[in-house]
Every structure is written in structure tokens, then in C-alpha cells.
Amino acid sequence: MEAALRTRDSAYRRRSDSSASLSSTSSRRTLSGLWASRKNSTCSPEEGPSSSPPVTPQHTPLLQRLFRSSSSEESADQGDVSTPRFSRLNSSPSFSPPCSSPSFLSFSRRKLRHIVEEMVTTEREYVRSLHYIIHHYFPEMDRADLPQDLRGKRSIVFGNLEKLLDFHSQFFLKELEACWRHPLRVPHCFLRHEQFSLYALYSKNKPKSDALLASHGHAFFRVRTLEDKMDLSSYLLKPIQRMSKYALLLTDLMKEVGVAQEAELGALQAATSMVKFQLRHGNDLLAMDAIRDCDVSLATIVLHLKAPFTDQTRPPEARFSYSFELSSSAYKHDVNSSWMFCWSEAETFREEPGSEPAPPVLCR
Amino acid sequence: MPEQSNDYRVVVFGAGGVGKSSLVLRFVKGTFRDTYIPTVEDTYTQVISCDKSVCTLQITDTTGSHQFPAMQRLSISKGHAFILVYSITSRQSIEELKPIYQQILAIKGSVESIPIMLVGNKSDETAQREVESKEGEAQATAWKCAFMETSAKTNFNVKELFQELLALEKKRDMSLSIDGKRWGKQKRTDKLKGKCSVM
């Protein structure tokens, strides 16, 4: 049984990789046959319209499927030989896919499924963490013995975390879960929402939150850590890490989607760019704030232009150029921590790395 | 600077595929799965019991992170100790650690009091070795940090890695106390002598 499943799975993978080889043709025929048994169409699961009913294994008799799968046998020996992930799926207690029977899995390329599975499980975990913060730490701010310096500072301590939770719990998680059967719909979940811009703002606020907690909050909030073994700082880092994870997961999905699937690839690229744009935006906001807080005047900060000036991927509404990289702290002027920054509407300074900190040179 | 707290955050850095999750899983659960390949190895938070303390292992995939240094900074500034993992089978993977190290140095000011361990993982894959032990050691010397070669697959030096890392923490008394488990491998005790408290 497993061998047969693997065969068809690899056939699927091969279909996405190669365009017109003999074996992929045979695979396609196999898959078409499988689909035809259900809905009399040659659409693959990923390409099917969103309104199509979910295909479940019950619709295709097991024997029939096994029989059909043997026709693609020739591609099996060249295919992926890794162990199927059924055991992992089934053993995960927090994970309850709508249809977790092994035969269902064979309908989709294993790797894509694996990535989406990871995205969904970690999303659930993430939403749980956000919930935890809101339900356990938010009420603390109403305590009568709240230190004076923390009063009225909820929005600084937690940033826009509540909005993040609303978005993820009410929309994003559910939509991701719906992609369980259709991995290639994942990018549309990202592109549908504008709330990802919340992350840049969350990042921007984070240093303020850190500073406030470091000076006043930790003694107060420490009590809570006994319960869950992680302190508030660890929780508050999660949104920062989550956004980076989306970028990596989407990049991984992109690797698995062949160039033949142009539309899907385009959507994935758009989603990845969006996530990276927000990461960069957060990064930039942080960098700008760091400059503002710097006690050295702007003119003496070493600015290092690295990438080309004009970044075509940058939306016009972005207030500054993204073609820079901020390597480190503004407070130190050694070579390794020189700043790279350029403003679209301001002068840009540049200094070669390795040279002595010299008066910045105007390079535009 | 990270504040003192019950929560001791160990940040594990490394490029994709060097075995960050494998090391941590081997350490925490004592298992290794060849087939277990997490697609992305960041944000893996694992709570382990340290002596009188709780230790959170945060695995951060450095792939692409150099694009967002100010974001990375938020994670680094919250870390108490750092594990920089490369694979001995990939020279590129040790190269990718360099900007991370520089960033830790810049954020922390000095690495003298920060436990940092440079780790060459996949030491079992000798045939594919691209980075010699000596090179790893030399890099660690230059970085003033500790060095170890490990294999999550064969469970070589995995517990020792975490043990020694925590022993490097001078600000508080840290040591591992994983219930009912003794240190498996003693081969490298010469290296660990005086630092490792064997339970």
C-alpha cells in the first residue's frame, strides 16, 4: 500500500517538475483517471476551482486507486524515496487535518503538504501564544498594584498585539486551515489581507516595550512566568519571529512549485514579496528610530550605500529607499558596525568599509 | 542587555539544513530522525529544565536574515546565550555565521561574558567534510568563544554542547538537570574537563 502511494506521490512531483516527458504524461493520465472518477475533469487538485467539492478518499474505491497507480510505476524508481509522513501526521496530537487518511495524502505532493502542514500547526501554536498573552498578561495591567510607570502603558508594553490576535484568530488561521487540501492557495491567504502591515508597527514599538519592561515591568510580570515557564519577553518576541518564518515557508513553497505552474508561482512570489516588504518596512522603521535616538548627529553617522539606489520592487508609498542595509548599532563607529542608509529625499553619505571613520562623503 | 529572569534564552543560529533542529531535538528528546526535516527551523521554542531555571531554546534560521538586521537585533538582544551552528560539510554555512557573530558582538558590546558556542555539526559525515576541525577551532579562537564538533545523528557531543554552554554562563549558576539521564558520550571529556559537571 505504501509503495503504491509513494509511486503516485512521486508521479505527482514529477509532473510538476518535468513538462513533457513520457513518464510524466503517463502520470498525468493516471491522475486524470483518478480525478475523472470523482468529477470527470482533468484538473489537478491544486488547479481546481475553489468551488469544487473536496475530494476525499471515500469517493475512489481503494482497489481502483491501487490498480490505477500501477500504471505510473515506471516513474517510481526515479521518484522520491523518503518515508511517507503518515506516522508523523497521525502522531501529532495538536493536529487534526480534516482528512488524514493515508490515501488522501497521496493526492498531493508530499513536500508541499509538509510545508503547509508546518505552516498550519505553527500558526495554531502562534495563535495560542497570542491568546495566552492577551488573556494572562493584559489583565495584569488593571491590577491595583501596577507600578506607576506602567500605568496607561498597555499599548507600549504590548504594541498592537491585540489586533494581531484578532487578525490571526478570526481570519488568517482559518484560511490557512482551509488550504490544508490546497497548498497552492496559501499565497492568496497572504495577499487577501492588509493586516500584515501590523507587523512593521509591532516591530517599531518593540524596543520601547523592551525598554519599559526592562526598567519597570519584569519584577511585576515575573510572577506569571511560573505558570508557563516562559516569561513575557519570550512571548513578545513571537510576532517578530513569526513574520520571518512566513518568509522562509513561502520561499520553500516556491521551490516546490515548478515553473510550469506559472500562475501559482506568480502568486507565491507576490506573497513572498509582500511578507519581505513588511519585514523590510519594520526593519527600516527600527533603523530610523535608532537614528533618531542616537546622540550623534545624523551627519556624523556613517552611511554606507551598498545596493543600487533605485529599488523597483519598492512601492511608491514607501517613504524611503529600501536599498540599504543597516548592519549594526549607531553608537559605535567601528568598521563592523557602520551604518548603511539612504534616504530617497535626502542626501546619502557613503563610506567604504575598512577605511577610517572619515567625514561622510556626499555621493549624490 | 537581557534582563535577569527565570527564562534563560539560548538562541541557536545557523543556515538552513545545518541541523539546528536535529541538535535540539536530539538533546531534548533524545531522538534523531533522518527523515525529520523541518522545512523551516526558526521559532522552535523548547523549554528544558535547567538547574533552578527554565531554559528556552529558540532556533533561528539565519537564511535571509541578513536583509533585516534591525529585526534580527530584536532577537539577539533578548538572548542570553548563543549557539552558532554550521555543518562541517558546508563551508558556506560557516561563512553565513560571520555576520551573525558580528551582530552579536555589536549588540552585546563584548562577548567576554556571553556564552557563545561555535558548533560544527554532522561530524559523522567525514567523507563530505569541507571544514576541518582546526578551522573551526581557529574561528572560535578568533571569536573568543567555545568550539565543538557534534553529530546529532550519532548523538556525539550533543549534551556536552549544552552542558558546556551553560557552564560558560558566569553570571548565574546554570547547569543541566535532565531527569534520569546520564551523559552518554564521555569521549570528549578531556575537552570538557573541569567544566562539565557530570550527574
Side-chain angles (χ1 to χ4, degrees):
Chain A
M1 178 63 191
E2 274 190 3
L5 294 170
R6 215 173 304 155
T7 302
R8 291 181 325 137
D9 201 281
S10 66
Y12 236 121
R13 185 188 303 260
R14 288 175 52 76
R15 190 172 94 78
S16 73
D17 292 340
S18 63
S19 47
S21 73
L22 189 70
S23 64
S24 75
T25 313
S26 100
S27 313
R28 187 171 295 133
R29 196 181 305 128
T30 308
L31 290 161
S32 306
L34 284 167
W35 278 113
S37 72
R38 167 73 190 120
K39 55 177 193 176
N40 198 23
S41 126
T42 52
C43 280
S44 77
E46 289 79 18
E47 288 156 354
S50 55
S51 58
S52 68
V55 177
T56 51
Q58 300 91 286
H59 297 301
T60 316
L62 184 67
L63 266 175
Q64 187 187 351
R65 276 179 285 124
L66 282 174
F67 176 74
R68 285 175 191 276
S69 72
S70 64
S71 68
S72 62
E73 205 166 19
E74 72 268 41
S75 64
D77 51 348
Q78 301 159 24
D80 178 40
V81 291
S82 65
T83 318
R85 296 202 174 276
F86 312 142
S87 57
R88 183 163 174 249
L89 273 177
N90 295 335
S91 67
S92 171
S94 63
F95 204 76
S96 50
C99 187
S100 62
S101 87
S103 51
F104 174 78
L105 285 183
S106 66
F107 275 89
S108 162
R109 279 152 291 178
R110 189 176 296 125
K111 179 79 182 188
L112 280 176
R113 292 294 303 271
H114 179 47
I115 297 168
V116 174
E117 175 201 325
E118 180 163 330
M119 204 179 260
V120 174
T121 45
T122 52
E123 184 72 17
R124 285 182 186 155
E125 190 51 47
Y126 177 53
V127 168
R128 208 170 295 141
S129 298
L130 294 181
H131 257 296
Y132 189 90
I133 303 173
I134 302 288
H135 290 285
H136 288 83
Y137 286 102
F138 258 49
E140 298 287 297
M141 298 297 283
D142 298 327
R143 262 166 54 180
D145 60 338
L146 186 76
Q148 187 67 39
D149 293 308
L150 287 177
R151 295 215 174 138
K153 299 282 174 63
R154 176 178 287 172
S155 63
I156 293 178
V157 173
F158 300 100
N160 54 6
L161 206 98
E162 210 167 5
K163 285 182 184 163
L164 284 176
L165 174 64
D166 286 348
F167 167 57
H168 282 272
S169 61
Q170 288 171 23
F171 300 100
F172 196 62
L173 174 60
K174 286 172 190 162
E175 288 171 22
L176 269 189
E177 282 174 329
C179 293
W180 173 247
R181 297 188 198 97
H182 308 279
L184 293 178
R185 283 184 201 159
V186 164
H188 301 290
C189 301
F190 283 89
L191 296 169
R192 205 172 293 145
H193 300 288
E194 286 178 353
Q195 279 92 332
F196 288 97
S197 59
L198 291 170
Y199 280 90
L201 299 174
Y202 185 84
S203 306
K204 179 181 158 64
N205 177 69
K206 188 70 171 54
K208 295 189 194 88
S209 165
D210 286 349
L212 193 60
L213 285 179
S215 56
H216 301 100
H218 283 297
F220 178 70
F221 283 116
R222 188 164 297 175
V223 209
R224 312 280 339 174
T225 65
L226 296 171
E227 203 173 297
D228 61 315
K229 319 239 187 229
M230 265 177 37
D231 70 10
L232 183 56
S233 293
S234 291
Y235 275 109
L236 291 178
L237 255 185
K238 281 178 182 284
I240 306 284
Q241 297 171 322
R242 187 66 191 157
M243 204 57 178
S244 318
K245 176 136 184 160
Y246 289 140
L248 291 167
L249 284 165
L250 285 168
T251 311
D252 269 18
L253 277 178
M254 216 148 49
K255 281 184 210 149
E256 299 306 315
V257 175
V259 278
Q261 294 159 293
E262 213 172 297
E264 287 85 351
L265 197 60
L268 274 169
Q269 273 162 348
T272 312
S273 312
M274 186 278 288
V275 169
K276 286 198 173 163
F277 173 81
Q278 294 300 347
L279 278 169
R280 206 168 294 141
H281 190 46
N283 190 73
D284 295 349
L285 292 173
L286 284 168
M288 279 171 52
D289 283 353
I291 285 188
R292 280 198 194 117
D293 295 341
C294 184
D295 52 359
V296 187
S297 79
L298 237 177
T300 60
I301 293 172
V302 182
L303 296 160
H304 184 130
L305 184 65
K306 198 183 188 185
F309 229 108
T310 46
D311 184 354
Q312 300 299 332
T313 59
R314 183 168 65 94
E317 65 270 21
R319 284 176 44 230
F320 38 84
S321 170
Y322 289 117
S323 55
F324 67 88
E325 191 170 344
L326 169 65
S327 72
S328 185
S329 159
Y331 303 96
K332 294 183 192 62
H333 287 265
D334 59 276
V335 172
N336 291 322
S337 60
S338 64
W339 282 62
M340 300 167 217
F341 216 100
C342 66
W343 306 72
S344 57
E345 289 170 20
E347 305 92 275
T348 306
F349 301 101
R350 145 173 214 163
E351 192 196 18
E352 291 301 325
S355 63
E356 285 294 304
V361 181
L362 191 65
C363 76
R364 194 179 71 169
Chain B
M1 288 296 118
E3 64 295 333
Q4 289 275 325
S5 69
N6 294 335
D7 203 357
Y8 191 77
R9 283 180 288 271
V10 178
V11 187
V12 186
F13 283 115
V18 297
K20 298 178 292 294
S21 291
S22 294
L23 272 175
V24 170
L25 282 173
R26 169 62 93 179
F27 173 64
V28 174
K29 301 197 172 118
T31 57
F32 179 86
R33 277 200 278 172
D34 247 335
T35 51
Y36 182 89
I37 308 158
T39 51
V40 170
E41 307 181 83
D42 73 335
T43 71
Y44 183 92
T45 308
Q46 182 66 50
V47 179
I48 60 167
S49 62
C50 300
D51 188 33
K52 296 180 197 162
S53 220
V54 164
C55 198
T56 313
L57 293 165
Q58 291 175 343
I59 303 182
T60 306
D61 196 318
T62 54
T63 313
S65 65
H66 61 279
Q67 295 170 32
F68 316 115
M71 300 282 276
Q72 189 76 284
R73 183 191 174 85
L74 294 175
S75 294
I76 292 175
S77 69
K78 291 276 132 192
H80 297 96
F82 300 88
I83 299 177
L84 306 176
V85 189
Y86 67 93
S87 160
I88 65 152
T89 64
S90 161
R91 182 162 299 281
Q92 172 66 20
S93 67
I94 193 169
E95 292 299 321
E96 283 190 35
L97 291 174
K98 290 180 180 173
I100 292 292
Y101 173 81
Q102 294 302 342
Q103 213 183 356
I104 295 171
L105 182 64
I107 290 168
K108 299 292 183 188
S110 137
V111 293
E112 310 271 310
S113 58
I114 311 284
I116 301 180
M117 179 79 73
L118 179 66
V119 175
N121 193 33
K122 305 194 184 178
S123 68
D124 56 294
E125 295 186 23
T126 45
Q128 282 84 43
R129 184 186 277 274
E130 277 186 18
V131 184
E132 295 300 323
S133 302
K134 279 182 185 168
E135 296 173 67
E137 267 171 44
Q139 187 64 77
T141 311
W143 286 351
K144 295 181 191 140
C145 69
F147 171 71
M148 245 186 209
E149 282 199 352
T150 59
S151 167
K153 191 173 188 173
T154 64
N155 201 10
F156 174 67
N157 258 352
V158 178
K159 282 172 188 163
E160 287 83 346
L161 153 65
F162 288 91
Q163 176 66 30
E164 192 174 354
L165 183 80
L166 296 186
L168 289 169
E169 178 58 80
K170 302 292 179 220
K171 288 187 205 124
R172 41 181 147 163
D173 188 21
M174 300 288 294
S175 69
L176 296 174
S177 55
I178 306 290
D179 299 336
K181 284 184 186 168
R182 293 184 60 83
W183 301 107
K185 302 263 178 183
Q186 297 295 330
K187 283 178 195 165
R188 298 276 288 231
T189 41
D190 52 331
K191 190 176 168 68
L192 303 175
K193 210 171 284 170
K195 290 180 179 171
C196 187
S197 56
V198 180
M199 272 157 269

